[in-house]
Amino acid sequence: MKLSEKVAVITGGGSGIGRAAAILMAKEGAKVAVINRTLETGQETVRQLVDEGGCGLAIAADVADSMQMQQAFQTIFDEYQRIDIVLANAGINGVWSPIEEIEPEEWDKTINTNLRGTFLTVKYAVPYLKKQGGSIVITSSINGTRSFKKVGATAYASTKAAQVALAKMLALELAPSQIRVNVICPGRGGDFH
């Protein structure tokens, strides 16, 4: 078990990549805390990993809400006394439409969830990670790095490109604290090409 005695925090762990990562990390021995906007879907993930012999905790929080995220990380630390791994995975597609049709509120929602949410996740995780070092992984997208063929993804692609730059800056800043920072850029086959 590669992650025995480690504590992993996953935002957006109620479905998709986040759920799969939570289950895999639990199988490798990590105690997994799932932060999800909807408690029920976070609890479903935790039930699944517990049924498979893992250990987990589900917390409801909006990644774009500073107070909720600060409290979520405090709750996780209070429960497990450490945080070793953070997967900043929560994100939304937002509204995909031509630029003149995107409402400012729709733009803000995508920016707040995908970029501010990543910032707040890292901001509130770092003090705990600095206690012993650890790893941060940010889920971005090929839409933020190289796949610019789908019209209307302006807000989404902007947040994903910003996450890549954020990861590079954080890697530089946090290396002296023994915190590794990586970014993954998944794509979904024909959907993005």
Side-chain angles (χ1 to χ4, degrees):
M1 293 227 208
K2 296 177 190 173
L3 301 179
S4 184
E5 303 304 316
K6 302 290 185 188
V7 175
V9 179
I10 301 173
T11 64
S15 63
I17 292 169
R19 178 173 282 178
I23 292 166
L24 180 60
M25 287 188 204
K27 283 181 182 174
E28 290 296 332
K31 296 172 185 166
V32 179
V34 172
I35 299 175
N36 208 69
R37 190 174 40 144
T38 308
L39 183 59
E40 294 75 25
T41 53
Q43 288 172 328
E44 287 172 25
T45 298
V46 170
R47 268 194 297 277
Q48 190 172 345
L49 65 87
V50 167
D51 287 348
E52 296 180 22
C55 175
L57 169 70
I59 297 173
D62 178 347
V63 293
D65 185 299
S66 178
M67 289 181 64
Q68 288 182 28
M69 289 303 287
Q70 186 174 19
Q71 183 58 52
F73 277 99
Q74 182 65 56
T75 300
I76 294 162
F77 185 78
D78 289 348
E79 177 71 21
Y80 295 125
Q81 299 303 303
R82 66 185 296 140
I83 295 172
D84 302 280
I85 302 163
V86 175
L87 174 57
N89 174 72
I92 61 171
N93 285 328
V95 173
W96 287 28
S97 64
I99 192 71
E100 70 272 14
E101 295 176 18
I102 299 172
E103 294 298 326
E105 298 77 22
E106 295 164 343
W107 173 272
D108 289 346
K109 183 176 181 185
T110 304
I111 300 295
N112 285 338
T113 300
N114 295 356
L115 188 53
R116 177 182 167 88
T118 300
F119 159 70
L120 291 175
T121 298
V122 173
K123 174 181 174 52
Y124 292 116
V126 163
Y128 302 109
L129 291 168
K130 280 185 172 181
K131 292 177 185 296
Q132 73 284 315
S135 178
I136 297 169
V137 179
I138 297 171
T139 304
S140 180
S141 168
I142 62 170
N143 275 73
T145 58
R146 65 183 178 274
S147 181
F148 300 108
K149 297 176 184 170
K150 193 142 185 162
V151 174
T154 310
Y156 179 79
S158 295
T159 63
K160 295 302 170 175
Q163 286 176 319
V164 172
L166 177 65
K168 289 177 180 180
M169 292 306 301
L170 291 172
L172 182 66
E173 178 182 336
L174 298 174
S177 298
Q178 306 303 310
I179 300 171
R180 241 178 7 265
V181 182
N182 292 285
V183 62
I184 58 172
C185 296
R188 291 191 286 172
D191 290 352
F192 292 99
H193 298 289

